[in-house]
Amino acid sequence: QVQLVESGGGLVQAGGSLRLSCAASGTIYLFNAMGWYRRAPGKQRELVATITSGGFTNYADSGNGRFTISRDNAKSTVYLQMNSLKPEDTAIYYCNAHKTDSMARTINYWGQGTQVTVSS
């Protein structure tokens, strides 16, 4: 069973930085892609950034230019570097990984989430 464990959340002032980590229990080569999503109070979960097994990245407009997603295959870990944080970035951030099984079905895995709070 795949487990994703996030860390690195916390309280930071506007303009500050945080780096989130997502450690997978197995090799991340198994995943087609990994990424970060977030859910702000009263809002639906939304995409933040993704990175494929080949290293291609995709960002939501909200974090483009401020956030950087990266991966360390040797450590089976994906990172999200967040700079110039804004109060509207306050949310629970979730790590996601997905792969395709032998029946061509997409299987999603989620971490438990880590709280990011940005004060103004």
Side-chain angles (χ1 to χ4, degrees), residues 1-111:
Q1 182 70 16
V2 172
Q3 288 188 324
L4 303 175
V5 179
E6 302 104 332
S7 61
L11 173 64
V12 64
Q13 288 188 331
S17 298
L18 284 175
R19 189 176 81 154
L20 305 184
S21 300
C22 172
S25 58
T27 176
I28 59 177
Y29 279 118
L30 296 175
F31 303 123
N32 298 335
M34 297 183 71
W36 291 92
Y37 291 73
R38 68 186 184 187
R39 178 176 287 153
K43 295 186 177 181
Q44 292 187 333
R45 186 172 59 196
E46 63 178 5
L47 169 73
V48 177
T50 59
I51 184 166
T52 70
S53 57
F56 292 100
T57 59
N58 179 54
Y59 296 92
D61 290 342
S62 58
N64 209 357
R66 299 186 298 127
F67 296 172
T68 303
I69 189 170
S70 61
R71 59 193 289 160
D72 185 333
N73 293 329
K75 295 182 178 180
S76 295
T77 300
V78 173
Y79 304 97
L80 183 69
Q81 177 67 42
M82 303 187 293
N83 299 326
S84 303
L85 283 162
K86 306 174 182 179
E88 51 263 44
D89 294 318
T90 295
I92 300 175
Y93 284 70
Y94 297 92
C95 180
N96 168 267
H98 67 83
K99 65 179 182 180
T100 303
D101 69 5
S102 59
M103 301 290 288
R105 296 170 298 191
T106 297
I107 302 175
N108 276 289
Y109 302 94
W110 294 94

